[in-house]
Amino acid sequence: MIEALKSDEIVHKLGGRFKVCALIQHRWVELLQGARPLVERNGRPDLEVIIDEVLQGKIGIDYAQSPGITHPAEALGEGR
């Protein structure tokens, strides 16, 4: 699953490497504080679970509630 970080799919999905990193960090803290994973853990470490959650669309960035953060489609002029 860490191989997913090597591809650009997750980067394009969220709009940049820094956004990917920030989302992973935020979700990791939630899991450490006792939040339940949104996908089956199957013995995988937290990082793999988080990446799977992102790829399955279970978590993402709420652009409407995040002032100053532009949606990737708007940044590329594609509309949503």
Side-chain angles (χ1 to χ4, degrees), residues 49-75:
V49 169
I50 295 166
I51 298 303
D52 198 16
E53 289 176 340
V54 172
L55 291 175
Q56 289 188 29
K58 305 277 183 171
I59 63 171
I61 297 171
D62 185 356
Y63 293 97
Q65 296 296 320
S66 303
I69 299 178
T70 306
H71 192 283
E74 290 177 6

Side-chain angles (χ1 to χ4, degrees), residues 17-65:
R17 294 192 185 282
F18 293 110
K19 291 177 185 175
V20 171
C21 184
L23 180 62
I24 288 171
Q25 289 174 342
H26 182 77
R27 182 62 177 149
W28 212 329
V29 169
E30 289 178 347
L31 291 176
L32 289 173
Q33 292 176 342
R36 294 183 186 265
L38 301 174
V39 296
E40 292 294 322
R41 183 170 285 279
N42 296 329
R44 297 180 295 178
D46 288 342
L47 182 58
E48 289 186 16
V49 169
I50 295 166
I51 298 303
D52 198 16
E53 289 176 340
V54 172
L55 291 175
Q56 289 188 29
K58 305 277 183 171
I59 63 171
I61 297 171
D62 185 356
Y63 293 97
Q65 296 296 320

Side-chain angles (χ1 to χ4, degrees), residues 71-80:
H71 192 283
E74 290 177 6
L76 295 173
E78 297 174 356
R80 285 192 227 174

